Amino acid sequence: MLAAERRTHLLDLLARTGKVVAKDVAAELGISEDSVRRDLRDLAAEGLCQRVYGGALPASPAVVDYDARRELGTDGKRKVAAVAAGLVRPGGSVILDGGTTALAVARALPAELTCTVITHSPTIATALIEHPRAELFLLGGRVFKHSAVTCGAAAVEAAQNVSADLCLLGVTGVHPDAGLTTADADEAAMKRALSARAAETYILASSEKIGTASPYRVLPWEKVTGLITDAGPHDATVDRLGALGVEVLAAR
Amino acid sequence: MLAAERRTHLLDLLARTGKVVAKDVAAELGISEDSVRRDLRDLAAEGLCQRVYGGALPASPAVVDYDARRELGTDGKRKVAAVAAGLVRPGGSVILDGGTTALAVARALPAELTCTVITHSPTIATALIEHPRAELFLLGGRVFKHSAVTCGAAAVEAAQNVSADLCLLGVTGVHPDAGLTTADADEAAMKRALSARAAETYILASSEKIGTASPYRVLPWEKVTGLITDAGPHDATVDRLGALGVEVLAAR
DNA sequence: AAGATACATGCAGAAACGTGCAATACCAGG
DNA sequence: CCTGGTATTGCACGTTTCTGCATGTATCTT
């Protein structure tokens, strides 16, 4: 029984039956209650369930399975998001890109973390309205529907008026030769504008992005502080990136 | 039976049947009355129910259906929203305020309607991303969490760069003497800025808003083209507004 | 006013919890 | 193949939380 397998099983159980009893699962899978508790604690920390005495309940009733799993996507995205969220310092500011991985980061921000989040994604803004302590700044502009973010001249101009410690960018492709790429030219320009307004830029790249490329170049490697990925530590592509001098943060 | 599950069950019972009898629930779930009483006490402490001798009653209806209200809104809101959506001309542009009524307007926009929607609400932007033909422009700025809209200097400035045929504004109070009011000063200023950028301004006022007032004045009646409401045709407040020369669109 | 019912409180046993620790499994590098 | 380091797991321990019962008090009903 793999750890990831266990976690999937827990989420599945949660979605199907609406609850998880630590004791029962431990007996069913033949593992200790401690492991189950540890898993539930981790899942709760990522906002995927609500920890209660004796087990766990779905995070928001009936939403976990339907939206969260589809929107949050793969286990890899969650891991990447957790590491990325950890880069945000208390009292610090972060520019958060759009996309599903960035949304996962927003959901992974600890509730007690006081910080400023700047984003061009209405989806992420909406998600963070629930956050008790995050100060939110939304970059306006024409909404590019395909990615659900604002883009274009107005959005780039709006970005010129903000600054942050950290910028977390999602991309659609990470390739040693092609670099960081995305599917739309305007979007690529917007990502460049965002990155330029932060002291440090990290790329959110769950493993399915690694080794692929899209038409439009976002940033050269020199402008990137590091890459956050859940790809194996000896993935060929990641190795080549490491050789290029890119800092790689492992999310595992 | 998890403790948290029990509490959910109690709230559910409360919402469905309108009351909870401690003795009955204890028998039904096979637990002691003490536990039920403890749960009810805790729920009451959180304002989720009202403790009475022998059991509990729902808290104020406003609290109970907090979610439902946010999502769907009253029947009146839907009617108002339908009329408001009808004001948007094909190919035209509309500035859409935030709030639940405006959200209902966004949802009421016909799928085949080609138009431009300008909004300062990430919630509404998110809702309209699904719309096949609406061009979307989001006004950025600091996000005022209570209302889930952008406000403040940056947002007002962003508004200066747009224009539209129509502005649909929500308010929290509509009163013949106090005028159109809302609960926050920044929000009021933002609504003024939006209204100033459109040729016509209509107020979305479902009946529960009529006759009430909040601290901050939004607009004088002269700046308003009309009021859209589902309040009865011979409502005293609406009559007085009509006498003041305000155009009233009946939503029924 | 009196009996019945519901309630709050204190208490004790049981269950669940978090943490530190050691054993084990796993993996990369030599 | 071996070795050192890391991550995972189960166990032991002390702590916290929950639950049902007993007791005394408050509230309702007749």
Side-chain angles (χ1 to χ4, degrees):
Chain A
M1 170 69 58
L2 271 47
E5 205 178 341
R6 242 177 17 224
R7 292 172 38 126
T8 307
H9 179 77
L10 287 170
L11 286 178
D12 187 51
L13 208 60
L14 211 48
R16 280 190 294 112
T17 68
K19 69 166 180 176
V20 162
V21 180
K23 194 178 173 182
D24 297 353
V25 178
E28 182 197 344
L29 301 182
I31 56 179
S32 77
E33 292 180 39
D34 297 73
S35 294
V36 177
R37 271 197 286 271
R38 267 188 269 248
D39 287 340
L40 289 179
R41 205 189 310 169
D42 293 347
L43 291 174
E46 293 175 37
L48 296 172
C49 72
Q50 189 197 340
R51 193 76 173 80
V52 298
Y53 199 88
L57 296 175
S60 47
V63 173
V64 142
D65 167 59
Y66 187 74
D67 274 344
R69 293 194 66 181
R70 200 187 44 164
E71 291 198 356
L72 286 184
T74 61
D75 199 52
K77 279 185 185 174
R78 283 201 302 275
K79 290 173 182 166
V80 170
V83 172
L87 292 178
V88 182
R89 303 251 166 274
S93 54
V94 57
I95 295 176
L96 197 47
D97 193 11
T100 52
T101 312
L103 181 58
V105 174
R107 296 202 173 135
L109 285 177
E112 66 278 9
L113 180 68
T114 303
C115 60
T116 300
V117 178
I118 300 163
T119 183
H120 65 135
S121 159
T123 314
I124 283 176
T126 304
L128 281 173
I129 282 171
E130 306 284 337
H131 194 286
R133 306 208 184 173
E135 163 90 8
L136 256 178
F137 193 92
L138 185 58
L139 300 172
R142 184 175 178 284
V143 178
F144 179 53
K145 288 193 174 187
H146 179 70
S147 310
V149 294
T150 59
C151 277
V156 169
E157 191 190 325
Q160 304 312 313
N161 297 315
V162 300
S163 295
D165 308 328
L166 181 66
C167 175
L168 298 173
L169 281 189
V171 293
T172 58
V174 175
H175 193 278
D177 301 325
L180 301 164
T181 52
T182 191
D184 180 83
D186 268 359
E187 216 182 330
M190 187 66 192
K191 287 178 196 292
R192 277 193 295 276
L194 294 177
S195 169
R197 304 306 307 165
E200 296 190 319
T201 298
Y202 283 86
I203 305 298
L204 308 169
S206 47
S207 55
E208 70 267 23
K209 313 281 178 63
I210 302 289
T212 69
S214 295
Y216 299 96
R217 165 76 74 90
V218 175
L219 281 175
W221 290 115
E222 309 86 73
K223 297 282 185 75
V224 174
T225 312
L227 184 78
I228 307 172
T229 184
D230 64 316
H234 293 289
D235 179 282
T237 307
V238 174
D239 278 351
R240 282 192 59 193
L241 294 178
L244 284 171
V246 178
E247 176 192 350
V248 176
L249 298 188
R252 257 164 293 136
Chain B
M1 169 69 61
L2 268 44
E5 207 180 342
R6 240 176 21 223
R7 293 174 35 129
T8 307
H9 179 77
L10 287 170
L11 286 178
D12 185 52
L13 210 59
L14 214 47
R16 281 190 294 113
T17 68
K19 69 170 181 178
V20 161
V21 180
K23 194 177 173 182
D24 297 352
V25 179
E28 183 197 343
L29 301 182
I31 55 179
S32 77
E33 291 180 40
D34 297 75
S35 294
V36 177
R37 271 197 285 272
R38 267 188 271 248
D39 286 339
L40 289 178
R41 205 190 311 168
D42 293 347
L43 291 174
E46 293 175 39
L48 297 172
C49 74
Q50 191 196 340
R51 195 75 173 79
V52 296
Y53 201 88
L57 295 175
S60 70
V63 175
V64 162
D65 56 8
Y66 174 73
D67 274 341
R69 212 182 31 167
R70 203 183 47 173
E71 287 298 318
L72 302 174
T74 60
D75 198 50
K77 278 184 187 172
R78 279 201 301 277
K79 291 174 182 167
V80 169
V83 172
L87 293 178
V88 182
R89 303 253 164 271
S93 54
V94 57
I95 295 175
L96 197 46
D97 193 10
T100 51
T101 313
L103 181 57
V105 174
R107 291 189 178 150
L109 285 177
E112 68 277 8
L113 180 69
T114 303
C115 61
T116 300
V117 177
I118 300 161
T119 183
H120 64 134
S121 160
T123 315
I124 285 177
T126 304
L128 281 173
I129 283 170
E130 305 286 335
H131 194 287
R133 305 208 185 170
E135 163 88 7
L136 255 178
F137 193 92
L138 185 58
L139 300 171
R142 183 174 178 284
V143 178
F144 178 54
K145 288 194 173 185
H146 179 70
S147 310
V149 293
T150 59
C151 277
V156 169
E157 191 190 326
Q160 304 312 313
N161 297 316
V162 300
S163 294
D165 308 327
L166 180 65
C167 175
L168 297 173
L169 281 189
V171 293
T172 58
V174 175
H175 193 278
D177 301 327
L180 300 165
T181 53
T182 192
D184 180 82
D186 268 359
E187 215 182 332
M190 186 65 192
K191 287 177 196 291
R192 278 193 294 276
L194 293 177
S195 169
R197 304 307 307 167
E200 296 191 319
T201 297
Y202 282 86
I203 305 298
L204 308 167
S206 47
S207 55
E208 71 268 21
K209 312 283 177 62
I210 302 290
T212 69
S214 293
Y216 299 96
R217 164 75 75 89
V218 175
L219 281 175
W221 289 113
E222 308 86 72
K223 297 282 183 76
V224 175
T225 311
L227 183 78
I228 308 173
T229 184
D230 64 317
H234 295 291
D235 178 281
T237 307
V238 174
D239 279 352
R240 280 190 62 192
L241 294 177
L244 285 171
V246 178
E247 178 192 348
V248 176
L249 298 188
R252 258 163 297 164

